[in-house]
Amino acid sequence: MPRLHNLLAPLVMCLSAMAANAEITVFAAASLRGALDEVNTSYSDDITVSYASSATLARQIQNGAPADIYISANPSWMQVLQNESLVQNPPAEPLFSNQLVVIGTKPDADFKLANLPNLLDPARLALGITKAVPAGIYAKEALTSLGVWQDTAPFTVQTDNVRAALRLVALGEVDYAIVYQTDALQEPRVHVLAHIPQSAHAPILYPAGQIADTDQAAQYLAFLHSPKAQAIFAEYGFVPISKPAKGGS
């Protein structure tokens, strides 16, 4: 028995070390690229992040993709997964908020949201797919609320995620886009022309949910809510939430 114990001890130590440095797979909204990357450098475990639109990632999880954590750019897609019992308890809570802005290839001190339809044709407005991508859903809701969607819609270019809309303006391929303020802050080639009133659309919330039933996933999720992680997100322009809404996913 002593010899068996001597053989098992290194194996137990090895397995413990592997558990302590387990890889965590995070499915995160495209607008989190950069901020989440920096947050993850402060975490001890090995983090792999898959960035895409919230809709794409939710569908992948529905199809069995091996995610440990899912961070959506709006509560609706998280709710879809919770309705299918794909999110562990407790229910997902928002990490922070964001704001929509209109960006352009050139500065324009006289830009007015009400004038947007008059600036289009042949110019184009890029935004996320309005039936799936959160930034696009919020943008359509806001433009509808402001009374300009009907005249703007024919001149929109809809993209798979908000970062794709940002790139189109950065590369000069379209003149305007609606993106999150956090996206605009990371791209020096674009100019913020207007902040869209938050009252014109539903609150922009980023709920984070635990998909895998593991201690590693639970610990990482708790870290995302920690003051250290929240301070980094705030540096990238995300808006802290003082009192997360219970079950707001």
Side-chain angles (χ1 to χ4, degrees), residues 20-96:
N21 296 283
E23 181 176 293
I24 298 171
T25 300
V26 181
F27 281 18
S31 53
L32 288 169
R33 187 186 295 272
L36 185 59
D37 293 334
E38 184 170 338
V39 166
N40 288 341
T41 63
S42 301
Y43 198 69
S44 57
D45 286 356
D46 185 14
I47 312 294
T48 299
V49 185
S50 177
Y51 292 107
S53 77
S54 300
T56 297
L57 296 172
R59 290 179 182 127
Q60 290 176 357
I61 293 171
Q62 287 176 308
N63 291 327
D68 294 299
I69 298 292
Y70 171 55
I71 310 175
S72 174
N74 79 345
S76 298
W77 284 109
M78 186 68 74
Q79 188 64 58
V80 168
L81 297 187
Q82 289 194 159
N83 290 345
E84 297 181 14
S85 300
L86 294 173
V87 180
Q88 303 294 323
N89 283 321
E93 291 186 342
L95 293 170
F96 36 70

Side-chain angles (χ1 to χ4, degrees), residues 16-209:
S16 298
M18 289 175 63
N21 296 283
E23 181 176 293
I24 298 171
T25 300
V26 181
F27 281 18
S31 53
L32 288 169
R33 187 186 295 272
L36 185 59
D37 293 334
E38 184 170 338
V39 166
N40 288 341
T41 63
S42 301
Y43 198 69
S44 57
D45 286 356
D46 185 14
I47 312 294
T48 299
V49 185
S50 177
Y51 292 107
S53 77
S54 300
T56 297
L57 296 172
R59 290 179 182 127
Q60 290 176 357
I61 293 171
Q62 287 176 308
N63 291 327
D68 294 299
I69 298 292
Y70 171 55
I71 310 175
S72 174
N74 79 345
S76 298
W77 284 109
M78 186 68 74
Q79 188 64 58
V80 168
L81 297 187
Q82 289 194 159
N83 290 345
E84 297 181 14
S85 300
L86 294 173
V87 180
Q88 303 294 323
N89 283 321
E93 291 186 342
L95 293 170
F96 36 70
S97 184
N98 210 333
Q99 184 172 6
L100 288 180
V101 296
V102 181
I103 59 171
T105 54
K106 296 179 287 189
D108 183 356
D110 298 322
F111 180 89
K112 297 288 188 296
L113 274 170
N115 241 1
L116 182 59
N118 298 327
L119 300 174
L120 304 176
D121 191 17
R124 291 292 183 267
L125 172 73
L127 68 169
I129 297 171
T130 58
K131 291 184 178 181
V133 177
I137 294 171
Y138 292 128
K140 179 181 177 180
E141 183 182 351
L143 295 178
T144 300
S145 175
L146 296 169
V148 297
W149 172 250
Q150 186 172 352
D151 294 330
T152 299
F155 309 107
T156 59
V157 177
Q158 299 193 24
T159 62
D160 289 339
N161 61 71
V162 68
R163 287 296 174 90
L166 177 73
R167 282 195 300 274
L168 288 176
V169 175
L171 296 173
E173 295 182 13
V174 301
D175 293 279
Y176 306 101
I178 295 179
V179 300
Y180 297 120
Q181 68 173 351
T182 50
D183 300 311
L185 288 172
Q186 294 192 56
E187 178 49 76
R189 294 173 292 180
V190 306
H191 301 270
V192 175
L193 305 180
H195 288 75
I196 293 180
Q198 296 187 44
S199 59
H201 56 77
I204 300 174
L205 300 174
Y206 285 71

Side-chain angles (χ1 to χ4, degrees), residues 182-236:
T182 50
D183 300 311
L185 288 172
Q186 294 192 56
E187 178 49 76
R189 294 173 292 180
V190 306
H191 301 270
V192 175
L193 305 180
H195 288 75
I196 293 180
Q198 296 187 44
S199 59
H201 56 77
I204 300 174
L205 300 174
Y206 285 71
Q210 181 182 338
I211 306 302
D213 186 15
T214 65
D215 290 340
Q216 288 82 8
Q219 291 165 8
Y220 175 74
L221 182 58
F223 174 72
L224 292 177
H225 285 277
S226 71
K228 183 175 184 179
Q230 289 291 307
I232 296 173
F233 286 124
E235 288 176 2
Y236 278 78

